[in-house]
Amino acid sequence: MLNLLLKGGRVVDPQVELDQVADVLIKDGLIAEVGVDLDTAGCEVLDCTGRVVVPGLVDLHVHLREPGREDLETIRTGARAAARGGFSAVCAMPNTVSPIDSGAKVRFIVERAAADAIVRVHPIGACTTGQKGESLAEIGDMLAEGAVAFSDDGRGVQSAGMTRRVMDYAKAFETTIISHCEDESLAASGVVNEGAVSTSMGLAGQPAIAEEVIVARDIMLAELTGCRLHLAHLSSAGSAELVRQAKARGIRVSAEVTPHHLFLDENAFAGRYDTYLKMNPPLRTANDREALVAALLDGTIDCVATDHAPHGLHEKEREFELAPFGITGLETAVPLVVTNLVATEKMSWSQFARALAIAPRAALGLVEVKMASGSDADITIIDPEAEVKVEADRFESKSVNSPFVGLTLKGRATEVIVGGRFALRSGEVVSL
Amino acid sequence: MLSCKHITTVQDMTAEDIAKILDTAESFIEVSERTIKKLPTLRGRTIINLFLEPSTRTRTSFEIAAKRLSADAINMTGSASATVKGESLRDTAKTLSAMACDLVVVRHAYAGAAQILAECMDSHVVNGGDGKHQHPTQALLDLFTMRTHLGRLAGLKVGIIGDIAHSRVAGSLIPALRLMGASVVVVAPPTLMPSRPDVLGAEVSYSLDEVLPDLDVAYMLRIQSERSDRMPFPSLREYARFYGLNSARLASMKPEAIVMHPGPINRGVEISSAVADSPRAVILDQVTAGVAVRMAVMYLLLGGVDVESAS
């Protein structure tokens, strides 16, 4: 492998207190040196002038649909979508058909990813068998086969007692439990946020409290058990406040927010039954959205994660109440965050690197990646000025269910490097 | 003619549109009183009643309305339609559109169904009830009935009593009354209230006895008795005790106030038999108005020839 020199980019990594124009030398899949005016001899040189160079981005919440719904997405296409979106790694949620709840199934994901995926794919295992919330899944076995965390995402564990058992058991393995916070007795059949939109559109509402009571419960159980807890896709001001209080008390908890909950709220409906705005948890009020942005910026919420959820056109074209929840996100997350937060100077590039690269690894205890010698060369290079037209026929994902199609945004990944190899180059996904 | 192409929600219409529909319906009431109850005005036009949720009353009302205007009215019902075989609502709409129908009345169990049809059909779409969302022609016939009996809409105080949270009738009637200058109070136990009744434009009360003396109209909604799990009130008996309209409560109302109900009524639950059969209850007048108002809607949307010359 030729040595690669990333020349003259703005290298940003708060882990090593770096935010300056520098060169990055990559050798044998590792970062060999970071410095100014490095020697180019014997190197392939990539001019990074005007670009931002950060540790490879990680999306710790995606649905790759394989095995079971390969018509919607596969590990191969999901990984290509991740590369296109600027991610060097993704964590695949276990709620496939059927759920990833055994070591053998985890091994399938690991092996399929090794063969097919252009970026790193870390499997997340189910907490309970079949994600039914009734009995412990083989957490240790799955961990041994390569699972990085455990979650009943898609359908959270309803019983507090079962959740305690999961956390108690998982604690011994020093792994992370990711909570999908939804009390089904409160969320009931709700398809949008309970409030103005549910009332005016005649749709069953899902109240924010359905999320908040489980956020509170799981924080208390994390405190009791000492298990590391990560809270998926927070959607309300109340949830953010609970996390803020928990962190102040020193509880080991981290949290994520999706781009759609940061940049859309229920006002987006404007009376239209747009199924591309149907997701779980639902879009909430403008007040919630603003609180989530504030919580991300002050570090209460650690990560941005997409909850990339591919669905078929024919499924999304059904009546609103019948259409599935969820939207794709891998290919729009970076442009949305850059356009709405970085370009508007609400978020620094260091905060960007924290939210999309550093905190996701920390939340799940993944191997750290630093812009320093000796680290894995997992790197994302971003052109902050590039214009991005979000077009359905340009997606690498097999599915196009994104409410952001048609927008013109600013800022996108031009290169993604995974272990020293290009996964994305000049904005195009590299073939395996 | 109306300012809107479709009537999927009350909000599609202006106050002028509504006034025009009610005025036009006045002249159609008379048609229904003739021996030969038919006008040639929509001859050669095709109206499809796409009823994907069981309904006899509303479908019959639309069908009679279409036939009295000489339109060719075709009923497609839930059990007979293709949707049962897995065809999507969009494909059903496109299929009907390809058959060159002029107007579709749609009744569907899910909110937004009429909007889906309006998006993928060339014809006019009238919402005959979509899930828990709206039922705009019901609101129009209710306005017509109120105007007939009370002589005006502006300034009226209307109480809507019952399952507000799950009622498409309330979903249309509240904004329609507000548009025409009436005020609305919704009355129910909190468990039957939508989360934000203010968004619809209604005041909220949990006490029927407190509001009744101020009302010009007591509009009783049907209580679904079949619902069983996690009932929003303890029993029908208790509901009737606090929210049912009986003779004693009727006596507390203004002498000219009227009692309405969209039907079918549950005698002994939301309304006692004595009240339902009293001259103060105008429930059958609402049914009569339904045909005339739906004739007016079809006539005005399809731009039929002038009523006078047609008759």
Side-chain angles (χ1 to χ4, degrees), chain B residues 4-26:
Chain B
C4 52
K5 179 180 176 186
H6 310 292
I7 300 179
T8 61
T9 65
V10 160
Q11 287 83 354
D12 287 344
M13 296 177 281
T14 62
E16 291 69 36
D17 289 330
I18 291 177
K20 194 180 290 177
I21 291 167
L22 302 187
D23 291 346
T24 307
E26 299 260 14

Side-chain angles (χ1 to χ4, degrees), chain A residues 184-186 188 194-204 266 271-274 316-322, chain B residues 52 83 88-90 94 108-113 115-116 119 130-134 194-197 199-200 230:
Chain A
E184 290 171 9
S185 71
L186 287 166
E194 180 180 293
V197 166
S198 66
T199 301
S200 67
M201 294 180 77
L203 294 169
E266 63 177 4
R272 256 203 93 232
Y273 292 84
D274 184 349
K316 276 293 198 182
E317 281 181 347
R318 300 197 67 183
E319 292 84 331
F320 191 90
E321 286 154 273
L322 300 178
Chain B
L52 300 176
T83 57
S88 76
L89 185 60
R90 276 170 208 276
K94 287 172 187 167
H108 198 48
Y110 297 106
Q115 190 179 87
I116 290 178
E119 279 173 7
D130 63 330
K132 302 175 187 74
H133 181 220
Q134 288 218 7
S195 64
R196 291 283 302 277
V199 170
L200 299 174
R230 296 206 299 156

Side-chain angles (χ1 to χ4, degrees), chain B residues 23-24 26-28 30 34 39-41 299 304-311:
Chain B
D23 291 346
T24 307
E26 299 260 14
S27 54
F28 286 139
E30 178 266 328
R34 299 181 196 171
L39 295 176
T41 180
Y299 172 81
V305 291
D306 184 64
V307 185
E308 296 305 316
S309 62
S311 54

Side-chain angles (χ1 to χ4, degrees), chain A residues 297-360:
Chain A
L297 294 178
D298 74 16
T300 299
I301 293 178
D302 304 79
C303 325
V304 173
T306 67
D307 197 3
H308 180 78
H311 288 291
L313 268 179
H314 65 285
E315 297 170 326
K316 276 293 198 182
E317 281 181 347
R318 300 197 67 183
E319 292 84 331
F320 191 90
E321 286 154 273
L322 300 178
F325 291 100
I327 62 167
T328 59
L330 279 167
E331 295 172 74
T332 48
V334 166
L336 285 167
V337 173
V338 172
T339 303
N340 290 293
L341 296 181
V342 181
T344 56
E345 296 185 346
K346 291 177 183 145
M347 178 185 251
S348 70
W349 280 108
S350 285
Q351 286 176 295
F352 176 92
R354 269 199 199 289
L356 283 119
I358 300 162

